[in-house]
């Protein structure tokens, strides 16, 4: 998401409605990759057709950086479904975990099932059609999550649609004491500083990975402060690379550069 590219379709898309719920869902394909749009040239997610469970975009891979600290998560949630890349990956990679995705737009859920290989709900997977704000304010969810991944953009892609300190406090409340949140931000937009300020108010520690694509910056927020130990993280990154092929070593380098 937030990768600006020209639509492959020849006709121009009309300007999307203001409400996320009614944003038009459109698709394009190029070089074996299927892209999701909300009626604009902004990419909201991608799937390599031959590898449907792999997070194709680099920022989506970085959203998994909580794995540096969480080895065996039992409960993972995703706010904003996109193409279901993170949801599918977590569902496949962590067979003992409960995986929940929250999406307001029913058309996104439907297109993920029909065009992006999203599996149906079962005992471990729950894709919920609801407002992310309602999800994080539900007290029954508080203290339940090991990892929370937040990727909430509308068709205009001007910044996260939920970005207040109160929202991030509610996100933090959903995490257990060792919980970690990752958030997709747009580093080239004024919303970036506002989101970081709100996260730092709500969380004990916030660090950012280097910018990728056309402005994506992934922030990592910790319920409790964690040591950024390059040696220990490098060892853990090597394990992740061996087990998953995710580029975890680059995450450690990025964290070291950000210190």
């Amino acid at each position: 998401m937030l990768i600006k590219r020209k639509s492959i379709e020849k006709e121009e898309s009309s300007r999307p409605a203001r409400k996320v719920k009614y944003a038009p869902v459109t698709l394009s394909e190029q070089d074996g990759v299927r892209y999701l749009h909300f009626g604009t040239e902004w990419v909201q997610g991608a799937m390599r057709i031959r590898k449907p469970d792999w997070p194709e975009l680099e920022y989506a891979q970085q959203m998994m950086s909580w794995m540096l600290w969480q080895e065996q998560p039992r409960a993972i949630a995703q706010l904003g479904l996109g193409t279901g890349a993170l949801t599918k990956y977590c569902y496949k990679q962590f067979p003992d975990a409960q995986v929940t995705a929250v999406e307001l737009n029913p058309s996104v859920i439907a297109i993920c099932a029909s065009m992006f290989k999203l599996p149906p709900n079962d005992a471990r997977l729950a894709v919920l059609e609801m407002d992310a704000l309602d999800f994080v304010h539900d007290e029954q969810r508080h203290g339940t999550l090991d990892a929370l991944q937040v990727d909430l953009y509308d068709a205009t892609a001007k910044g996260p649609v939920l970005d207040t300190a109160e929202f991030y406090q509610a996100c933090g409340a959903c995490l257990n004491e060792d919980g970690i949140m990752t958030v997709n931000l747009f580093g080239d937009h004024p919303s970036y500083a506002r989101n970081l300020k709100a996260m730092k108010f709500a969380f004990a520690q916030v660090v950012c990975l280097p910018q990728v694509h056309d402005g994506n910056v992934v922030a990592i927020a910790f319920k409790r402060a964690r040591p950024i130990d390059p040696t220990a993280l490098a060892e853990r990154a090597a394990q992740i690379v061996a087990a998953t092929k995710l580029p975890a070593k680059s995450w450690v380098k990025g964290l070291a550069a950000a210190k």
Side-chain angles (χ1 to χ4, degrees):
M1 154 174 213
L2 288 183
I3 307 167
K4 194 171 184 181
R5 58 188 290 276
K6 294 297 183 182
S7 174
I8 296 169
E9 301 161 351
K10 292 183 179 180
E11 61 270 14
E12 294 183 359
S13 299
S14 60
R15 185 173 297 277
R18 291 176 63 84
K19 294 183 179 180
V20 175
K21 190 176 178 82
Y22 303 110
V25 178
T26 54
L27 302 176
S28 64
E29 288 186 16
Q30 187 175 43
D31 298 330
V33 178
R34 182 172 295 155
Y35 297 93
L36 176 71
H37 310 267
F38 290 160
T40 71
E41 74 269 26
W42 291 99
V43 170
Q44 302 288 338
M47 178 189 74
R48 185 162 295 278
I49 296 171
R50 291 187 176 181
K51 298 173 66 176
D53 295 325
W54 175 253
E56 176 68 18
L57 302 178
E58 186 177 4
Y59 96 86
Q61 296 167 9
Q62 290 187 342
M63 291 285 283
M64 299 295 304
S65 57
W66 52 264
M67 291 173 63
L68 289 169
W69 296 271
Q70 294 275 13
E71 296 188 28
Q72 296 295 329
R74 301 307 296 261
I76 306 165
Q78 166 79 21
L79 305 183
L81 182 62
T83 59
L86 294 173
T87 302
K88 291 183 296 181
Y89 187 77
C90 290
Y91 179 72
K92 182 177 181 179
Q93 186 65 36
F94 301 105
D96 294 326
Q98 296 289 325
V99 179
T100 304
V102 179
E103 174 58 50
L104 181 62
N105 190 339
S107 296
V108 172
I109 298 174
I111 206 75
C112 277
S114 64
M115 300 299 291
F116 291 97
K117 307 291 185 180
L118 180 69
N121 286 355
D122 60 18
R124 289 200 305 113
L125 176 64
V127 178
L128 307 176
E129 182 190 329
M130 67 182 300
D131 193 314
L133 195 59
D134 293 335
F135 179 89
V136 297
H137 279 297
D138 183 350
E139 293 184 358
Q140 292 186 352
R141 306 186 191 280
H142 288 183
T144 65
L145 299 177
D146 297 294
L148 177 62
Q149 301 169 134
V150 182
D151 193 5
L152 295 169
Y153 286 79
D154 61 14
T156 63
K158 292 182 178 179
V161 295
L162 296 174
D163 61 5
T164 65
E166 290 77 13
F167 167 68
Y168 287 122
Q169 282 180 311
C171 288
C174 291
L175 295 170
N176 59 36
E177 288 305 309
D178 289 326
I180 301 172
M181 176 181 72
T182 53
V183 184
N184 179 33
L185 299 176
F186 197 9
D188 294 334
H189 191 268
S191 63
Y192 177 71
R194 181 171 65 250
N195 278 269
L196 276 187
K197 182 178 179 180
M199 269 185 271
K200 289 179 179 179
F201 176 83
F203 283 81
Q205 180 183 8
V206 179
V207 295
C208 292
L209 293 172
Q211 179 173 304
V212 296
H213 302 310
D214 287 343
N216 297 76
V217 175
V218 170
I220 309 170
F222 300 87
K223 185 76 173 275
R224 65 174 177 84
R226 305 288 189 106
I228 307 298
D229 182 341
T231 301
L233 291 178
E235 292 177 358
R236 174 60 185 149
Q239 295 172 353
I240 294 171
V241 172
T244 70
K245 294 184 171 56
L246 286 170
K249 293 180 181 180
S250 70
W251 306 342
V252 176
K253 292 179 181 179
L255 291 169
K259 290 180 66 176

